[in-house]
Amino acid sequence: MSYMHIYTPGSAMENEPNQNLADNFEQRPNEPATRNDLRTLATLIDRRFNKVDLQFQTMQTMFKEEMFEFRESMRKEMSDFRESMHRDMSDFRESMRKEMFEFRESMRKDMSDFKDMMRKETGDSKESMRKDMYKFAGFLTVTVISAIGVFGAFVR
């Protein structure tokens, strides 16, 4: 047997349709549903789908916002990284130039010191050879004069 329900504005159906529908099905679980019950069920299902659609739209909007924020943060991070790398490379180039200049100057100084040392050593060596040659020449002169004197003594 089917019960006829009259719904008026402000009734429980408008205020709490879920509870009203559940109560109707509990009261008469074996009876066939009326058109009004089917309309109520369709309305409830439609509302649930609307809620689900709204939740999907909300999630989609949140996801788009998150993706936008993620992209922007990645762009900023990439830009900061690129600037940092550019700054580091510039600093590295400058430090290498400075170190190469210092190395070149150090090598020039070392070569200049080496040349000065070699000139001094060569000069000292020449002076030493000159002294040795004069000593040898003096020795030869004395030896030759002595030999002439000894030879002259034999010859007389």
Side-chain angles (χ1 to χ4, degrees):
M1 168 180 230
S2 163
Y3 296 99
M4 191 165 179
H5 295 283
I6 299 173
Y7 298 106
T8 59
S11 70
M13 181 60 192
E14 285 187 9
N15 295 333
E16 298 177 8
N18 295 339
Q19 186 61 40
N20 193 7
L21 185 63
D23 289 344
N24 283 343
F25 286 125
E26 284 178 12
Q27 290 173 4
R28 45 194 175 92
N30 296 329
E31 292 183 20
T34 63
R35 284 187 190 173
N36 198 26
D37 291 341
L38 293 176
R39 272 190 225 117
T40 305
L41 182 62
T43 303
L44 288 175
I45 291 173
D46 188 47
R47 285 182 186 170
R48 285 190 182 165
F49 276 118
N50 286 341
K51 284 182 183 178
V52 169
D53 286 344
L54 182 63
Q55 287 176 349
F56 274 122
Q57 288 173 355
T58 304
M59 293 298 289
Q60 189 177 22
T61 303
M62 289 173 50
F63 180 73
K64 284 180 181 178
E65 289 172 358
E66 289 293 323
M67 282 301 292
F68 179 77
E69 290 175 10
F70 178 73
R71 283 184 191 143
E72 289 302 311
S73 69
M74 287 304 291
R75 284 184 184 136
K76 185 180 181 317
E77 291 288 326
M78 295 281 285
S79 175
D80 292 348
F81 179 73
R82 185 174 42 241
E83 289 173 10
S84 172
M85 288 301 293
H86 181 71
R87 194 175 332 108
D88 290 347
M89 289 302 291
S90 295
D91 293 347
F92 178 72
R93 271 188 247 130
E94 286 300 315
S95 69
M96 287 304 293
R97 284 182 188 143
K98 182 180 176 185
E99 288 181 20
M100 288 300 289
F101 179 76
E102 290 172 358
F103 177 73
R104 200 174 321 137
E105 290 301 313
S106 171
M107 289 302 292
R108 284 183 183 154
K109 184 181 179 297
D110 290 347
M111 288 303 291
S112 175
D113 292 347
F114 180 73
K115 285 179 185 176
D116 291 344
M117 182 188 71
M118 288 305 290
R119 284 185 189 131
K120 182 180 176 196
E121 290 292 323
T122 305
D124 291 348
S125 168
K126 285 181 183 176
E127 189 65 33
S128 174
M129 282 177 62
R130 215 176 279 135
K131 286 179 183 177
D132 289 343
M133 282 176 42
Y134 284 126
K135 286 181 189 175
F136 184 68
F139 172 73
L140 279 178
T141 305
V142 170
T143 305
V144 169
I145 291 175
S146 300
I148 291 176
V150 171
F151 183 68
F154 278 120
V155 171
R156 292 191 213 170

